[in-house]
């Protein structure tokens, strides 16, 4: 049976067909939907971990126990999981283990565009790269077999266009003849102390050589000879663009991008006149081909930055572009926090207090955007607290008071809590605000260890964040209602003054949470247009439900108006109106 | 180059249901026996940003994104977003647009005006332009929420996919209790 599946759906399906027993992940665009699809298969135990390192460790445990395990993350997640990964290549596996790294060339929703393929070489792990959903399913399935056959974890690299693109997939059956998992001791292989690791390392190197030799016969790489004046080595989504733009060129399509099939590359190179490597981001394949002494054109014509598109590929080969209608100049449409989002009040206060805000990653990063404009740094998940401590180490006593870290609940549990330990341990005077909206909102509302539910939607223990902060040693912990602007500002101001570590925790949920006991819409608000003076005070919060209606006479005058379909009744705009003309409709 | 391939772009604002519409379209194309690929960026788009979804179908489709300037049909769910994406369309392409304006943040905050004369601008560039009041027709069909299905109906007339496949796709993708309304909305859009 054929179905249209996204790359992520197909990876989940591939894991299912491979007899995978455990799937573990921390969400991150564009990888998130893989686990949101493995939950459809009751045979797979699917769970969210607090971060990528734990997710990989859970998968490693499942593999060591003898079951097949899938672990997925976005590209930057591999940075967090790198520590176990680099030694996992030495231990190898028992049950097959496939680690999916989903890259985001062009940074559609990421803070950098690192190229995960470098991890395969660095960690000495084979890497597969599918070019459509069909291959996503097949390579995931075969990845488990390869993993067991070569006693190594296997990485599968996806990208935004692969993970979120959809194409046709033929579905297969789940394998049923796998050995049942069962404890088995093998310390020489699984206890990586120096003596054991020294024995394992040469095996890893030999394994990669063997795999490179066997690669020509594996079902991942294929030579397609057409016109031999141009030969192109390519992989992943770039293969599709090459076929689209240069349909007559010969191609060596790599499905395994590490280790490379050296013999196949030499053979292909000898059959074509001019050899190119077409790849997004780093010259990963190109450098290795050049190191083989084969002349090749690559990054001279394809950018190191951003994603490839058919148009960009056409430009690279000097082909004519389609005639393009000139673009109209149009107001931009950047993303915005939802109407009634509990994060707004905090950023409104921080702006008024002229705080220096070390930020973190989540919906609240949008607090950077006007009109709130209250975030000064954002580097990676969990970084806000460490950065706040660092800033206070160098600035004057007066400026130290201005330093505030903001971090979401999911991010705090991901890697923020370690920063807090450091803050208390080394007595930084900065203030931390934990924006606890009860969910991992940015990536599409995933549960986390503090939300009270598992990925399977089963109720579970919720981490008590205030108690956790207390256990870390924070003496001043304040809970605030971020929808109460005055209280929020007052509490933040008091804690900024305090020359000791302090934590403020907000207590209102994300408005998109579907559980009625967690979030319910309030009464809808309206502006009394007769009495609205047009002072624009309510616009300062940036709620998308509030619209400025210009008088239309060319002046700056006008009135505010609230869209009843969008308003969630958070009450924040009412508090901003000095003329008391905003209120809930009876 | 991609002669027999149909290139369709669905554009609008995050939260408008564009992904579902492009899924119904892809499903119908698959049922009609075509190879189909579809691509879009979701992530930040959930927070009300611009959304562009690409659907391509034909005998064999390689790239999941429509090559720049090769769009056959621009299917716009909102006027400003429709205009923004006109450069993706080939000269002589078709525009089917919903007659709806959604203000972006700068307009909501009174810093810019929502641009005027958009309909005229589209008309001036693309002769094959259909403006549909999706909301109104959907209300007439019995459910304002079926506006996207009305628009799909309007677009369907310009594609070589028989009606039966559209209806089958709706059956698969739309919840059972909303199916009748959606089928009616689809037919009203198709007759528009
Ligand atoms: C290492 C890493 N993993 C995952 C992500 C993707 N990501 C960005 S923000 C975020 C979660 C934010 O949740 P939370 O801190 O609760 O803030 P909210 O969005 O709910 O406001 C995730 C998972 C990332 N950027 N980096
Ligand atoms: S999804 Fe939730 S946390 Fe994110 S902007 Fe909307 S209300 Fe705020
Ligand atoms: S009450 Fe005001 S600020 Fe809150 S959602 Fe409604 S319009 Fe927006």
């Amino acid at each position: 049976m054929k179905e249209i599946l996204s790359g992520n759906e197909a990876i989940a399906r591939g894991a299912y067909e491979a007899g995978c027993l455990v799937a573990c992940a921390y969400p991150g665009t564009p990888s998130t939907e893989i686990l949101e699809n493995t939950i459809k298969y009751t045979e797979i135990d699917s769970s969210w971990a607090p971060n990528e390192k734990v997710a990989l460790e859970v998968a490693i445990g499942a593999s060591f126990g003898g079951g097949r395990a899938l672990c997925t993350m976005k590209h930057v997640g591999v940075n967090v999981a790198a520590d176990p990964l680099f030694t996992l290549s030495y231990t190898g596996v028992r049950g097959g283990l496939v680690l999916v790294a989903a890259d985001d060339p062009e940074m559609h929703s990421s803070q950098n565009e690192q190229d995960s393929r470098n991890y395969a070489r660095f960690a000495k792990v084979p890497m597969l790269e599918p070019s459509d959903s069909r291959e996503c399913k097949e390579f995931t399935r075969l990845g488990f077999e390869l993993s067991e056959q070569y006693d190594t974890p296997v990485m599968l690299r996806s990208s935004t266009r692969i993970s979120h693109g959809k194409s046709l997939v033929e579905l297969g059956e789940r394998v049923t003849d796998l050995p049942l998992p069962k404890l088995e001791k093998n310390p020489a292989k699984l206890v990586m102390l120096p003596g054991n690791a020294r024995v394992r390392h040469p095996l890893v190197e030999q394994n990669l050589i063997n795999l490179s030799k066997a690669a020509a016969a594996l079902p991942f790489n294929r030579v397609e000879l057409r016109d031999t004046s141009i030969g192109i080595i390519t992989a992943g989504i770039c293969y599709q663009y090459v076929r689209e733009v240069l349909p007559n060129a010969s191609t060596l399509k790599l499905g395994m991008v590490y280790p490379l099939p050296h013999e196949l590359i030499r053979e292909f190179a000898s059959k074509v006149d001019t050899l190119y490597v077409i790849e997004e981001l780093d010259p990963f394949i190109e450098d290795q081909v050049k190191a083989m002494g084969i002349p090749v054109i690559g990054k001279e014509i394809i950018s190191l930055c951003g994603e490839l598109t058919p148009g960009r590929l056409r430009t690279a080969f000097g082909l004519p572009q389609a005639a393009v209608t000139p673009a109209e100049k149009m107001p931009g449409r950047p993303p915005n926090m939802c109407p009634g989002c509990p994060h707004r009040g905090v950023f409104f206060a921080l702006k008024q207090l002229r705080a220096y805000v070390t930020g973190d990653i989540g919906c609240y990063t949008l607090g950077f955007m006007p009109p709130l404009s209250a975030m000064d740094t954002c580097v990676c998940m969990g970084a806000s607290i460490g950065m706040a401590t660092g800033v206070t180490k160098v600035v004057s006593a007066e400026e130290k008071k201005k330093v505030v870290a903001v971090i979401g609940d999911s991010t705090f549990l991901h890697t923020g809590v370690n920063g807090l330990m450091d803050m208390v341990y080394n007595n930084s005077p900065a203030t931390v605000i934990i924006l606890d909206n009860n969910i991992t909102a940015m990536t599409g509302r995933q549960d986390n260890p503090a939300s009270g539910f598992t990925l399977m939607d089963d109720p579970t223990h919720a981490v008590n964040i205030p108690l956790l902060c207390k256990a870390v040693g924070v003496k001043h912990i304040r809970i605030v209602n971020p929808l109460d602007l005055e209280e929020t500002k007052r509490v933040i101001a008091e804690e900024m003054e305090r020359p000791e570590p302090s934590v403020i925790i907000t207590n209102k949920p994300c408005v998109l949470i579907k559980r009625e006991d967690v979030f319910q819409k309030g009464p809808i608000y309206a502006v009394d247009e007769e009495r609205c003076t047009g002072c624009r005070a309510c616009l300062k919060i940036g709620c998308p439900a509030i619209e400025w209606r210009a008088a239309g006479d060319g002046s700056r005058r006008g009135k505010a108006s609230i869209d009843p379909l969008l308003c969630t009744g958070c009450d924040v705009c009412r508090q901003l109106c000095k003329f008391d003309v905003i209120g809930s409709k009876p | 180059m991609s002669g027999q391939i149909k290139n369709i772009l669905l554009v609008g604002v995050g939260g408008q249901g564009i992904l579902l519409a492009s899924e119904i379209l892809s499903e119908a194309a698959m049922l009609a026996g075509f190879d189909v690929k579809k691509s879009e960026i979701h992530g930040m788009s959930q927070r009300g940003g611009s959304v562009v979804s690409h659907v391509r179908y034909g005998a064999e489709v390689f790239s999941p994104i429509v090559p720049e300037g090769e769009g056959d049909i621009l299917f716009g769910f909102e006027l400003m977003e429709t205009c923004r994406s006109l450069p993706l369309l080939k000269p002589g392409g078709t525009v089917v647009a919903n007659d709806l304006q959604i203000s972006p943040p700068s307009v909501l905050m009174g810093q810019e005006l929502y641009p005027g004369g958009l309909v005229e601008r589209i008309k001036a560039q693309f002769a094959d332009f259909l403006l549909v009041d999706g909301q109104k027709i959907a209300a007439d069909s019995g459910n304002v929420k079926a506006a996207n299905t009305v628009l799909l109906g309007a677009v369907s007339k310009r594609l070589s996919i028989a009606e039966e496949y559209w209806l089958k796709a709706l059956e698969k993708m739309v919840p059972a209790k909303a199916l009748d309304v959606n089928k009616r909305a689809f037919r009203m859009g198709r007759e528009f």
Side-chain angles (χ1 to χ4, degrees):
Chain A
M1 190 178 67
K2 262 194 190 164
E3 279 201 36
I4 303 182
L5 299 185
S6 69
N8 283 346
E9 289 168 328
I11 291 169
R13 178 74 196 187
Y16 165 78
E17 291 180 11
C20 174
L21 291 179
V22 170
C24 196
Y26 181 72
T29 314
S31 70
T32 313
E33 300 81 6
I34 302 172
L35 271 262
E36 290 175 336
N37 279 284
T38 55
I39 59 175
K40 289 182 191 156
Y41 310 110
T42 48
E43 296 87 341
I44 303 179
D45 177 313
S46 302
S47 63
W48 293 131
N51 67 32
E52 292 85 352
K53 179 174 182 288
V54 175
L56 180 55
E57 288 154 353
V58 169
I60 293 173
S63 158
F64 288 178
R68 289 189 169 178
L70 177 75
C71 180
T72 72
M73 56 195 62
K74 74 183 279 155
H75 60 338
V76 287
V78 187
N79 302 336
V80 179
D83 202 5
L85 174 64
F86 278 62
T87 303
L88 175 63
S89 56
Y90 281 29
T91 62
V93 302
R94 256 185 86 210
L97 190 151
V98 173
L99 168 60
V100 178
D103 285 9
D104 190 15
E106 200 76 25
M107 295 171 272
H108 295 288
S109 35
S110 303
Q111 67 269 37
N112 75 23
E113 53 181 350
Q114 65 187 51
D115 186 334
S116 292
R117 294 177 301 171
N118 295 299
Y119 267 117
R121 192 171 183 200
F122 196 2
K124 303 178 185 296
V125 171
M127 178 178 266
L128 307 177
E129 185 170 7
S131 70
D132 58 18
S133 298
R134 188 185 64 77
E135 288 186 350
C136 279
K137 196 203 81 170
E138 279 313 294
F139 287 9
T140 303
R141 194 175 61 76
L142 293 167
F144 283 102
E145 290 173 16
L146 195 71
S147 169
E148 285 167 12
Q149 199 182 340
Y150 283 83
D151 190 10
T152 173
V154 168
M155 287 183 81
L156 184 115
R157 182 206 191 211
S158 177
S159 66
T160 302
R161 295 291 175 187
I162 295 295
S163 277
H164 288 172
K166 289 203 167 191
S167 55
L168 304 188
V169 180
E170 188 74 46
L171 304 188
E173 297 298 320
R174 180 172 166 95
V175 296
T176 48
D177 55 353
L178 297 174
L180 277 184
K182 159 172 199 312
L183 291 180
E184 190 183 282
K185 298 201 184 211
N186 191 352
K189 173 170 153 64
L190 302 185
V191 181
M192 277 308 97
L193 286 171
N196 288 342
R198 276 184 215 115
V199 178
R200 296 293 303 177
H201 184 188
L203 300 177
V204 176
E205 300 296 345
Q206 189 56 46
N207 222 354
L208 289 170
I209 294 169
N210 296 348
L211 197 50
S212 169
K213 287 203 180 117
L218 291 174
F220 303 109
N221 305 318
R222 80 176 177 259
V223 173
E224 297 170 2
L225 285 181
R226 285 174 281 266
D227 174 1
T228 53
S229 61
I230 292 182
I232 295 178
I233 304 176
T234 187
I237 192 68
C238 295
Y239 167 77
Q240 307 294 353
Y241 302 148
V242 166
R243 296 291 292 121
E244 182 81 29
V245 172
L246 302 158
N248 299 322
S250 294
T251 50
L252 167 52
K253 184 204 173 289
L254 298 176
M256 186 161 75
V257 289
Y258 193 78
L260 290 182
H262 290 227
E263 281 161 44
L264 206 60
I265 290 173
R266 267 186 221 293
E267 191 190 318
F268 181 70
S270 72
K271 286 187 181 146
V272 299
D273 300 341
T274 314
L275 186 66
Y276 294 85
V277 171
I278 303 299
E279 56 190 328
E280 286 173 328
L281 303 176
D282 296 344
F284 181 76
I285 299 171
E286 178 185 344
D287 282 355
Q288 294 181 69
V289 173
K290 279 186 175 153
M292 291 166 66
I294 300 173
V296 59
I297 302 169
K299 288 297 153 186
E300 295 93 323
I301 59 167
I302 304 287
S303 176
L304 289 161
C305 309
E307 65 180 356
L308 195 62
T309 65
R312 288 176 186 170
L313 185 57
R314 233 176 245 169
T315 308
F317 278 84
L319 298 169
Q321 290 288 349
V324 168
T325 324
E328 300 269 350
K329 217 182 131 23
M330 214 65 73
R333 195 184 295 274
N336 191 354
M337 291 179 212
C338 307
C341 174
H343 295 333
R344 272 204 184 81
V346 169
F347 288 96
F348 188 72
L350 289 169
K351 186 181 186 184
Q352 289 185 310
L353 294 166
R354 296 177 196 283
Y356 182 85
V357 181
T358 59
D360 227 301
I361 308 194
C363 280
Y364 49 92
T365 313
L366 294 171
F368 161 77
M369 313 268 288
L372 297 168
S373 313
M375 187 173 289
D376 298 286
T377 74
C378 172
V379 175
C380 72
M381 282 191 75
S384 57
I385 304 180
M387 288 191 295
T389 299
V391 174
T392 59
K393 282 180 192 281
V394 294
V395 298
S396 71
E398 206 37 47
E399 284 197 327
K400 283 190 211 309
K401 293 181 182 169
K402 292 279 170 209
V403 181
V404 179
V406 295
I407 185 164
D409 49 338
S410 187
T411 305
F412 179 67
L413 299 174
H414 177 273
T415 35
V417 64
N418 312 66
L420 189 64
M421 286 175 205
D422 175 65
M423 182 173 255
V424 174
Y425 177 41
N426 292 305
N427 202 26
S428 157
T431 304
V432 175
I433 303 179
I434 301 174
L435 299 159
D436 185 3
N437 61 355
N438 219 259
I439 207 86
T440 311
M442 179 73 180
T443 38
R445 277 169 284 130
Q446 290 76 29
D447 279 295
N448 67 46
S451 74
F453 291 86
T454 67
L455 168 59
M456 308 304 287
D457 217 18
D458 294 325
T460 184
H461 176 75
V463 172
N464 184 319
I465 293 180
L467 271 184
L468 177 59
C469 295
K470 194 170 172 202
V472 163
V474 181
K475 290 205 216 77
H476 313 284
I477 300 168
R478 314 271 303 262
I479 314 284
V480 297
N481 171 3
L483 303 179
D484 183 332
L485 295 182
E486 245 182 61
E487 177 197 326
T488 302
K489 185 176 164 191
R490 179 175 51 76
V491 170
I492 297 176
E494 284 169 13
E495 294 309 323
M496 283 169 73
E497 274 302 312
R498 200 190 290 280
E500 281 179 84
S502 54
V503 172
I504 300 166
I505 304 169
T506 63
N507 67 357
K508 286 288 179 252
C510 165
V511 304
L512 296 185
I513 294 181
K514 294 265 163 26
R515 298 184 181 107
E516 278 185 9
D517 52 333
V518 180
F519 174 75
Q520 266 186 332
K521 268 194 183 188
I524 290 165
Y525 280 61
V527 179
D528 181 345
E529 293 205 22
E530 299 272 290
R531 290 168 50 231
C532 174
T533 64
C535 75
R536 296 179 184 237
C538 58
L539 300 177
K540 293 198 181 115
I541 198 81
C543 173
I546 308 178
E547 176 154 25
W548 180 252
R549 297 258 169 88
D553 54 4
S555 72
R556 266 183 53 80
R557 288 181 301 127
K559 288 180 193 296
S561 150
I562 292 177
D563 184 338
L565 294 176
L566 294 178
C567 175
T568 62
C570 76
D571 189 59
V572 162
C573 55
R574 185 195 57 78
Q575 300 165 40
L576 286 174
C577 180
K578 293 188 204 63
F579 302 96
D580 205 19
V581 307
I582 301 181
S584 57
K585 278 198 203 159
Chain B
M1 203 160 288
S2 44
Q4 69 286 44
I5 296 201
K6 267 283 182 219
N7 293 317
I8 302 153
L9 296 144
L10 299 90
V11 304
V13 178
Q16 276 196 290
I18 293 167
L19 303 191
L20 179 61
S22 67
E23 241 138 66
I24 294 171
L25 167 56
S26 308
E27 185 76 23
M30 179 187 79
L31 292 172
F34 293 109
D35 186 21
V36 189
K37 280 192 182 162
K38 160 178 140 78
S39 176
E40 67 252 326
I41 302 300
H42 36 96
M44 290 286 224
S45 61
Q46 285 175 340
R47 310 282 166 278
S50 307
V51 179
V52 181
S53 174
H54 303 234
V55 177
R56 310 186 73 210
Y57 70 84
E60 187 179 15
V61 182
F62 292 113
S63 164
I65 56 180
V66 174
E68 294 89 332
E70 286 189 19
D72 295 302
I73 297 185
L74 178 64
F75 180 2
F77 291 66
E78 197 273 347
L79 280 173
M80 203 170 90
E81 295 311 316
T82 308
C83 269
R84 198 195 304 283
S85 290
L86 289 177
L88 299 173
L89 209 51
K90 68 177 184 198
T94 299
V95 181
V96 177
N98 190 16
D99 194 3
L100 176 72
Q101 302 188 352
I102 300 176
S103 298
S106 60
V107 173
L108 292 175
M109 288 188 285
Q111 291 156 350
E112 277 181 288
L113 288 176
Y114 191 96
L118 295 182
V119 168
E120 292 70 29
R121 282 198 242 175
I122 303 173
K123 249 187 215 151
Q125 292 183 53
F126 293 93
D128 190 11
F129 170 38
L130 184 66
L131 186 68
V132 187
D133 189 344
Q135 297 60 235
K136 182 168 175 301
I137 300 175
D140 293 347
S141 80
N143 188 348
V144 267
K145 289 194 187 145
N148 288 356
T149 316
V150 172
L151 294 164
L152 267 177
V155 168
S156 73
K157 274 277 277 286
R158 288 167 157 71
L159 298 173
S160 51
I161 299 171
E163 182 163 352
E164 58 175 306
Y165 301 121
W166 288 101
L167 296 176
K168 268 195 199 146
L170 282 176
E171 274 161 29
K172 181 164 172 203
M173 319 289 293
V174 175
K177 63 180 195 301
L179 189 59
D180 280 343
V181 169
N182 275 280
K183 280 186 173 171
R184 213 176 312 135
F186 180 81
R187 289 212 182 86
M188 286 171 82
R190 206 170 157 85
E191 280 154 25
F192 183 78

